[in-house]
Amino acid sequence: MSARVLVVDDVPANIKLLEARLTAEYFDVVAAAGGVEALDICTRAQCDIVLLDVMMPGMDGFEVCRRLKANPLTDHVPVIMVTALDQASDRIKGLEAGADDFLTKPVNEVALLTRVRSLVRLKLVLDELRMRAATSREIGLADPLAEAAVETGVGGRVLIVEDRPSAAERISAALQHEQTVEVEADPQEALFRAAEGNFDLVIVSLGLNGFDGLRLCGQLRSLDRTRHVPVLVLVEADDSERLMRALELGVNDYLLRPIDRQELLARARTQVKKRRYADRLRDNVQHSMELAITDGLTGLHNRRYMESHLGAVLERATARAKPVSLLILDIDHFKAVNDTFGHDAGDDVLREFALRLRRSIRNVDLACRYGGEEFVVVMPDTDIAIASVVAERIRRNIATEPFAVNQGTRLLDVTISIGLTARQDQADTADTILKRADQALYRAKRDGRNRVVADAA
């Protein structure tokens, strides 16, 4: 996994130390010596995560964090505060400012890399949701970003997995004024309840008697129903090895014992808010897309959505100097299918083609029906060499297995022609990249069909 990390510190030696550690793990690092510069870099979407020093002249880290989280353009960027302050009150102040996590100086290298990777994974998911949400807003639908941003993190459903009654009672008492709390002492039963209970947060003690709490964390991350539920672990202060393992498993946050009540409340609110933010983005995006920009026959996005989405993808790629590739696919001799076997058979071919196309691309790629028997695939962060491999895989998946039509009574051999191109420079627009791919498609059909041709420009 690679990402761009912004390191904000007024001491050059501190920047060089963090930069050396991060670049050794193949992260791109940019630096800012103060808060104003950091805010500018983030506003221009030039980082994926911020490592933010607290003690800086002029604007301190708390104020920088507050401004980042108050700006709709930057509120989704994860912030890790790096500080020599280790009091619970300082962590609470940072959490209330919107910080996602903390690292205490001197920075432990394992903790640094684990935290950065964990938050980058989360941001990659949210970036895709936000991109889709922005597209729905641009074409005149309800704005899911504005709706998602109003969450406070209060009133969530929290499951506490703790087999020590006194500890469970203290945690429950601290949370119950802001959250709806349930307690489960049996970890196996807790897994079942988490899967069925639609919780906003699961708090897991790593000190369970006779059961490895890490195993429960891993199970929560492996099940479809609990994969997106935030998990916060409770761990002894000297148990750093198990804490690192928990973070590697995808745990979202942790608290060291003895637990500070105010920090528990603040971290619970943060995780509930993140869960609801992501869920609302998913729900609103899915609903609005289905209503307005989905092709009714194939279930793929339609041309209207694709053109807006492609524009957003190209804009983001330009800001981050990333590649974008695009495929245009055309079903060969499709008119003959309709003329010979009827339009019902043609519809069968289109539906099956869409299914095979979806199975051949990544979740981050966008497949749409461009019109008639033409389809488009938009591939963010993908160069033309990789896109060529994917295009050939799609072509084979179509050509090697006949299509069943007319309720399975007839099998038809189907082939496709594919034209592909990639973003070349900042001047590329949705129209220019589509035109180049269409020209490549024309050459593929002219040269005999059932082939992939890349734009030669």
Side-chain angles (χ1 to χ4, degrees):
M1 179 197 324
S2 183
R4 183 169 294 175
V5 183
L6 171 61
V7 178
V8 188
D9 200 307
D10 62 315
V11 179
N14 292 341
I15 291 178
K16 288 187 178 298
L17 178 62
L18 290 172
E19 183 178 19
R21 292 177 174 180
L22 291 164
T23 54
E25 296 297 322
Y26 306 103
F27 289 102
D28 292 330
V29 178
V30 292
V36 174
E37 184 182 1
L39 292 171
D40 179 61
I41 291 171
C42 292
T43 302
R44 288 186 281 115
Q46 291 186 332
C47 68
D48 295 300
I49 188 169
V50 181
L51 293 180
L52 178 61
D53 187 41
V54 171
M55 307 300 292
M56 294 187 296
M59 188 187 305
D60 67 15
F62 296 124
E63 179 60 23
V64 175
C65 188
R66 276 190 288 269
R67 295 193 186 190
L68 286 172
K69 296 302 181 179
N71 185 345
L73 296 175
T74 58
D75 62 355
H76 63 293
V77 179
V79 175
I80 300 178
M81 305 200 83
V82 183
T83 175
L85 307 174
D86 60 358
Q87 298 298 312
S89 59
D90 297 313
R91 293 195 297 273
I92 293 165
K93 184 177 179 181
L95 288 167
E96 290 176 345
D100 296 271
D101 220 321
F102 293 86
L103 289 170
T104 303
K105 296 178 180 179
V107 176
N108 177 281
E109 184 168 354
V110 175
L112 168 68
L113 297 175
T114 305
R115 288 308 180 85
V116 169
R117 289 188 183 111
S118 175
L119 288 171
V120 166
R121 280 196 298 267
L122 174 63
K123 183 177 182 291
L124 290 174
V125 174
L126 291 180
D127 276 351
E128 180 62 22
L129 291 173
R130 287 173 60 84
M131 188 183 299
R132 301 286 173 94
T135 301
S136 67
R137 181 183 65 238
E138 289 165 4
I139 61 177
L141 303 176
D143 185 358
L145 290 175
E147 295 177 7
V150 302
E151 284 295 344
T152 63
V154 173
R157 298 190 68 232
V158 180
L159 177 64
I160 299 169
V161 186
E162 172 62 85
D163 56 6
R164 289 180 285 182
S166 59
E169 185 177 347
R170 286 195 299 272
I171 298 168
S172 179
L175 290 173
Q176 63 186 4
H177 298 295
E178 293 188 357
Q179 316 288 354
T180 300
V181 181
E182 297 181 28
V183 177
E184 178 55 61
D186 182 347
Q188 296 293 353
E189 183 65 21
L191 182 63
F192 174 78
R193 289 177 66 174
E196 299 296 329
N198 192 30
F199 288 96
D200 296 297
L201 174 64
V202 179
I203 298 176
V204 178
S205 170
L206 295 189
L208 297 170
N209 184 30
F211 189 88
D212 186 355
L214 291 174
R215 183 172 298 280
L216 176 58
C217 295
Q219 291 170 331
L220 289 168
R221 280 291 164 265
S222 67
L223 293 178
D224 288 340
R225 292 188 180 184
T226 58
R227 183 165 294 152
H228 300 297
V229 179
V231 177
L232 184 152
V233 295
L234 310 176
V235 61
E236 299 296 333
D238 59 354
D239 197 359
S240 59
E241 182 178 349
R242 284 167 60 77
L243 174 57
M244 292 301 106
R245 290 285 303 278
L247 293 170
E248 289 170 0
L249 285 170
V251 162
N252 303 82
D253 204 350
Y254 69 89
L255 277 168
L256 301 178
R257 299 183 190 269
I259 295 169
D260 180 88
R261 179 179 182 275
Q262 292 302 319
E263 185 174 0
L264 170 63
L265 285 169
R267 290 190 180 275
R269 282 195 299 269
T270 296
Q271 293 304 322
V272 170
K273 182 177 180 178
K274 286 181 179 178
R275 163 66 189 263
R276 290 179 167 178
Y277 181 88
D279 282 355
R280 185 165 293 187
L281 283 180
R282 288 188 186 95
D283 292 345
N284 285 359
V285 170
Q286 180 178 354
H287 179 65
S288 59
M289 295 304 105
E290 288 175 353
L291 286 177
I293 42 68
T294 302
D295 176 61
L297 178 65
T298 64
L300 300 177
H301 289 101
N302 62 18
R303 178 172 181 166
R304 179 189 184 198
Y305 177 79
M306 184 277 299
E307 289 175 343
S308 295
H309 179 73
L310 177 57
V313 170
L314 290 171
E315 183 177 330
R316 180 168 176 262
T318 298
R320 293 168 51 83
K322 295 288 186 179
V324 175
S325 291
L326 182 136
L327 317 179
I328 293 186
L329 312 89
D330 185 274
I331 299 175
D332 296 329
H333 305 298
F334 183 74
K335 184 176 183 299
V337 174
N338 283 330
D339 292 346
T340 305
F341 305 104
H343 288 278
D344 287 345
D347 289 349
D348 289 340
V349 168
L350 291 172
R351 280 190 288 263
E352 175 62 21
F353 174 81
L355 288 174
R356 297 190 194 185
L357 179 60
R358 274 202 209 96
R359 290 197 296 261
S360 302
I361 62 176
R362 307 167 300 177
N363 289 336
V364 72
D365 300 329
L366 178 80
C368 85
R369 187 179 179 190
Y370 195 50
E373 66 271 25
E374 282 194 340
F375 296 78
V376 167
V377 177
V378 180
M379 306 179 71
D381 298 342
T382 307
D383 61 31
I384 198 164
I386 298 298
S388 298
V389 173
V390 175
E392 182 58 29
R393 181 172 68 226
I394 296 170
R395 188 200 64 77
R396 287 197 308 269
N397 288 346
I398 299 303
T400 55
E401 182 179 349
F403 282 51
V405 301
N406 296 337
Q407 299 181 339
T409 60
R410 186 183 297 273
L411 295 177
L412 298 181
D413 290 325
V414 175
T415 63
I416 58 171
S417 301
I418 303 176
L420 71 100
T421 191
R423 172 184 173 274
Q424 294 179 353
D425 53 45
Q426 295 185 6
D428 263 341
T429 65
D431 287 341
T432 58
I433 198 170
L434 281 165
K435 183 176 180 179
R436 290 203 306 271
D438 193 56
Q439 290 170 345
L441 172 65
Y442 174 78
R443 291 198 297 274
K445 299 185 82 66
R446 182 195 62 193
D447 294 344
R449 296 183 170 85
N450 189 23
R451 68 192 61 225
V452 176
V453 172
D455 169 43

